[in-house]
Amino acid sequence: MARIRTILVDDHADFRRLAQVLLSELDSIELIALGENGEDAIRLCEQHRPELLLCDIAMPRMGGIEATRLIKAQEQPPVVALVSIYGDEEHRQHARSAGAEHFINKVDFLPAVADLAQELTETPHA
Amino acid sequence: MPESRILVLDQDEERAREIAAILHFLDFSPCVYSELAAVEADNLEPRDLLAVVLGKQGLGGSHDVSRWLTRDPQHAPLLLMPEYGDDTLGLDPADVWHLAYPVQQLQLTEILRRISIRHLNAAGEAQGPLLGPSGDSAAVRRVRHMIRQVAGYDTSVLITGESGTGKEVVARAIHAQSSRRALPFVAVNCGAIPAELLESELFGHEKGAFTGAISTRQGRFELAEGGTLFLDEIGDMSLPMQVKLLRVLQERSFERVGSNQTRHCDVRIVAATHRDLEERIGEGKFREDLYYRLNVFPIETPALRERPADLPLLLEDFSVALERRGRGRVRLADEAVSTLQAYSWPGNVRELSNLIERLAVLHPNEPITLDMLPERYREASPAPLGEAAAQAQGLPAEGLDLRAHIQAIECDLIAQALDATDGVVAHAAELLKLRRTTLVEKLRKYRMTRPPGQSTGAAGGASAVAS
């Protein structure tokens, strides 16, 4: 089964470590790179052309929403899932209008990514 | 622009550490200092911050902080510890929040959530020129002219145009040129706020008016008092809300949610939508009476594809703005620019600005050549105007009238140039890299009469507008 090449970006080192461990439990996800901020997200996506980007919204200097807007201007952009501790409609709207296809609440991280991985392997993604 | 750094300024170290821990847990990046001098020594600026939590300071310290913050007109909001009571330290109350201590998790989370949203809303704003959208094309000059016309009056303005064409830039320019310029400009995205929250967002609420209304809050109408209120995406407003808005426009008064007290308001309304409101009226989704109230002075923002000649100027504006933000200079090679001029820009100016910002991150300080552009921008053939018609054509066996053939090509290209510049000969000449007088000669030669109402130069006609 082809694994989903994934990049994770979050400014908190402890969350990156935790997420790595959690994601290693998912067979369908192949974590290929980690980043710390919005600019990393842009450069890493350009360099690796992943299928999926998991990106924190709240990061210093350039956050996930701004980064998503710019990444979606790239050729063959990845599916973007923005990660936030907020699940309210306004944040979701901002995420959507930046072009993110999915919105993940940090509280629910692993199950949400598992569902997303399932969805991506089942439906052919552009 | 940063989205997560929060300054915790408090001489009570234990409290500061506790708050920082909570902020970290809430996914923010707290910076803890006990006094302002240390903050300044580390070169942390108000504009680098999402918010400032202010606790105990020495004598006069809190006022120093207030002064430091207000150096930046768009400064981060202030979260005050209980010892400050109701004091707002001279700041606009809309930018000040009062925190409970011991920390009430729910209160803090909610406040930070609102600050985050406000910040996201603000980050989307372009720091456009106060004259309105940039460019030299007839279409955009017309928009600037209309802004100048309407700014001095209090009439409502309805701005229509595709997404990303700078409707907010137009709204801000109207405000900046009006007599209300010293008072607030408040923007509300009616499409982004859920219908059930829009009323309290616009009119404010009393404490306890509904679940989650933990304190009294001023609405956007109150915050815009004396100034301009920009209602973006008004086409997305629910019908019940439209009724309420209509009443405010007619009677210049409203009540906060959960209150009986009628408040008067003096606010100039500018609305915008990318939707076809007349169509929505036909579908029963928009009220005709509200439409006529808002549409007193309509302004239409042109799509970017209608004004390719403006691209170089826009690129320059964005490049300068990026440099000011410390993101480096972006220079595009000529062939890259002409390729972009042929692209259809469904996302208009916003799409252009995103592309430039990306290029700035990926290729800092190097000239951008054609191959560095993403493929979809290269798909439109970038033929510069002079070569468009010069298709490789084999000489027919029977020969052809060379002079007639060349003249036909020249005539066609001149017509295209006039079309692209709305009949303004000076601009068409620029497009064709001819002197204006030369083009006028050719027009006479081909007997190309000007459409009525348009001029050959700077002196105004109906649509060619002196800027």
Side-chain angles (χ1 to χ4, degrees):
Chain A
M1 172 187 59
R3 300 167 78 201
I4 301 165
R5 295 170 62 252
T6 302
I7 291 184
L8 172 78
V9 176
D10 193 300
D11 59 321
H12 288 104
D14 38 2
F15 183 76
R16 286 197 304 273
R17 275 194 292 272
L18 173 64
Q20 259 187 294
V21 169
L22 294 176
L23 292 176
S24 66
E25 293 186 32
L26 297 175
D27 286 334
S28 51
I29 298 276
E30 183 191 350
L31 194 58
I32 57 176
L34 294 174
E36 283 182 20
N37 56 45
E39 279 137 333
D40 277 356
I42 294 170
R43 268 188 231 108
L44 291 171
C45 282
E46 187 69 23
Q47 189 187 339
H48 296 282
R49 298 295 162 96
E51 280 131 57
L52 175 63
L53 171 68
L54 300 169
C55 188
D56 189 14
I57 286 188
M59 297 186 289
R61 284 176 38 94
M62 187 196 285
I65 286 180
E66 209 183 333
T68 298
R69 206 170 274 133
L70 302 188
I71 286 168
K72 283 298 185 183
Q74 153 195 45
E75 237 173 297
Q76 300 156 353
V79 169
V80 176
L82 283 175
V83 184
S84 171
I85 58 144
Y86 300 118
D88 64 290
E89 189 53 37
E90 282 127 305
H91 279 92
R92 286 175 186 270
Q93 278 279 8
H94 273 285
R96 235 173 279 148
S97 60
E101 289 92 343
H102 298 278
F103 189 93
I104 292 177
N105 198 316
K106 251 187 190 179
V107 163
D108 255 345
F109 188 73
L110 186 58
V113 179
D115 282 344
L116 178 54
Q118 176 95 339
E119 201 184 300
L120 289 176
T121 42
E122 279 170 5
T123 53
H125 38 105
Chain B
M1 219 179 177
E3 295 190 21
S4 71
R5 271 182 293 186
I6 297 182
L7 175 63
V8 179
L9 200 49
D10 195 346
Q11 282 174 354
D12 180 340
E13 281 182 20
E14 205 180 291
R15 180 169 66 177
R17 264 199 301 269
E18 183 192 332
I19 300 217
I22 296 174
L23 291 176
H24 183 92
F25 173 72
L26 291 178
D27 211 25
F28 295 102
S29 315
C31 314
V32 180
Y33 289 85
S34 57
E35 51 192 39
L36 188 61
V39 175
E40 290 179 306
D42 275 352
N43 285 320
L44 202 55
E45 290 282 309
R47 55 170 60 239
D48 295 332
L49 302 168
L50 178 66
V52 176
V53 178
L54 186 61
K56 181 153 156 270
Q57 291 288 278
L59 207 58
S62 58
H63 287 280
D64 286 340
V65 172
S66 164
R67 256 196 308 272
W68 175 77
L69 255 187
T70 52
R71 265 187 353 220
D72 177 4
Q74 289 165 334
H75 60 86
L78 194 58
L79 278 57
L80 292 173
M81 285 283 111
E83 57 257 39
Y84 290 95
D86 280 332
D87 197 350
T88 60
L89 298 183
L91 265 61
D92 186 341
D95 292 329
V96 179
W97 309 74
H98 297 277
L99 291 182
Y101 187 78
V103 174
Q104 281 179 27
Q105 188 95 332
L106 219 60
Q107 183 205 41
L108 183 58
T109 311
E110 176 57 23
I111 289 174
L112 290 171
R113 187 187 71 84
R114 280 170 162 264
I115 289 176
S116 172
I117 289 168
R118 237 205 257 172
H119 186 91
L120 288 173
N121 289 339
E125 284 161 17
Q127 300 299 339
L130 295 178
L131 296 173
S134 303
D136 251 343
S137 62
V140 92
R141 283 167 179 253
R142 197 177 315 139
V143 171
R144 287 201 295 263
H145 176 70
M146 296 183 84
I147 291 171
R148 272 197 309 274
Q149 300 276 69
V150 80
Y153 302 97
D154 256 357
T155 35
S156 298
V157 179
L158 180 63
I159 307 170
T160 52
E162 291 181 18
S163 290
T165 48
K167 298 191 282 295
E168 184 163 338
V169 170
V170 172
R172 285 182 178 274
I174 291 172
H175 176 75
Q177 291 178 42
S178 72
S179 54
R180 295 174 179 263
R181 72 181 72 94
L183 291 145
F185 174 91
V186 174
V188 183
N189 187 331
C190 303
I193 299 174
E196 60 273 18
L197 293 181
L198 188 56
E199 189 180 355
S200 69
E201 195 65 32
L202 287 177
F203 303 134
H205 59 248
E206 296 297 334
K207 182 173 176 173
F210 50 85
T211 322
I214 33 189
S215 58
T216 295
R217 189 125 191 97
Q218 286 181 310
R220 305 292 177 109
F221 270 93
E222 283 180 72
L223 294 173
E225 181 62 24
T228 306
L229 181 64
F230 175 53
L231 298 170
D232 200 1
E233 297 306 347
I234 198 152
D236 291 349
M237 196 182 265
S238 70
L239 278 167
M241 202 54 228
Q242 290 176 35
V243 174
K244 299 195 166 113
L245 178 62
L246 182 58
R247 182 236 166 172
V248 181
L249 297 183
Q250 287 167 334
E251 292 169 33
R252 299 173 169 276
S253 65
F254 64 94
E255 292 88 31
R256 285 187 188 164
V257 178
S259 164
N260 283 332
Q261 188 197 357
T262 302
R263 292 165 194 274
H264 290 281
C265 66
D266 168 25
V267 160
R268 193 257 182 87
I269 300 285
V270 177
T273 184
H274 68 280
R275 299 205 182 277
D276 184 338
L277 287 186
E278 288 179 23
E279 200 179 276
R280 280 179 96 77
I281 291 171
E283 291 166 2
K285 293 187 186 156
F286 202 85
R287 292 184 63 103
E288 195 169 20
D289 46 5
L290 178 59
Y291 176 67
Y292 286 123
R293 257 280 142 171
L294 293 170
N295 198 34
V296 182
F297 194 93
I299 296 183
E300 200 183 316
T301 47
L304 186 53
R305 76 189 73 86
E306 289 168 35
R307 47 180 193 125
D310 284 341
L311 220 88
L313 204 63
L314 289 169
L315 288 171
E316 181 62 26
D317 277 357
F318 290 137
S319 190
V320 167
L322 278 174
E323 203 175 11
R324 227 184 288 130
R325 277 154 62 192
R327 299 266 187 97
R329 204 126 180 56
V330 176
R331 284 235 131 77
L332 273 79
D334 283 346
E335 38 161 19
V337 176
S338 54
T339 299
L340 292 180
Q341 283 176 310
Y343 177 63
S344 65
W345 298 108
N348 295 290
V349 180
R350 197 180 297 129
E351 187 183 352
L352 175 64
S353 113
N354 287 346
L355 175 64
I356 299 309
E357 277 201 55
R358 257 193 78 241
L359 293 174
V361 172
L362 296 170
H363 306 284
N365 296 310
E366 47 172 317
I368 307 291
T369 51
L370 200 52
D371 54 297
M372 292 177 189
L373 294 180
E375 203 174 303
R376 69 165 165 264
Y377 297 100
R378 285 181 269 150
E379 255 148 39
S381 63
L385 207 54
E387 286 159 26
Q391 285 147 15
Q393 247 187 333
L395 181 65
E398 64 275 27
L400 54 70
D401 182 345
L402 182 64
R403 222 174 53 155
H405 186 79
I406 300 284
Q407 280 186 0
I409 292 176
E410 193 178 32
C411 201
D412 180 55
L413 288 169
I414 290 174
Q416 284 187 50
L418 285 172
D419 244 317
T421 57
D422 256 34
V424 178
V425 175
H427 296 152
E430 250 183 288
L431 260 187
L432 297 170
K433 313 238 188 300
L434 289 175
R435 290 211 333 267
R436 197 186 74 81
T437 43
T438 313
L439 181 55
V440 172
E441 277 299 308
K442 289 185 190 284
L443 287 176
R444 265 190 222 122
K445 173 172 129 192
Y446 292 120
R447 275 180 235 117
M448 291 171 94
T449 49
R450 297 188 305 274
Q454 291 181 354
S455 79
T456 50
S463 53
V465 171
S467 159

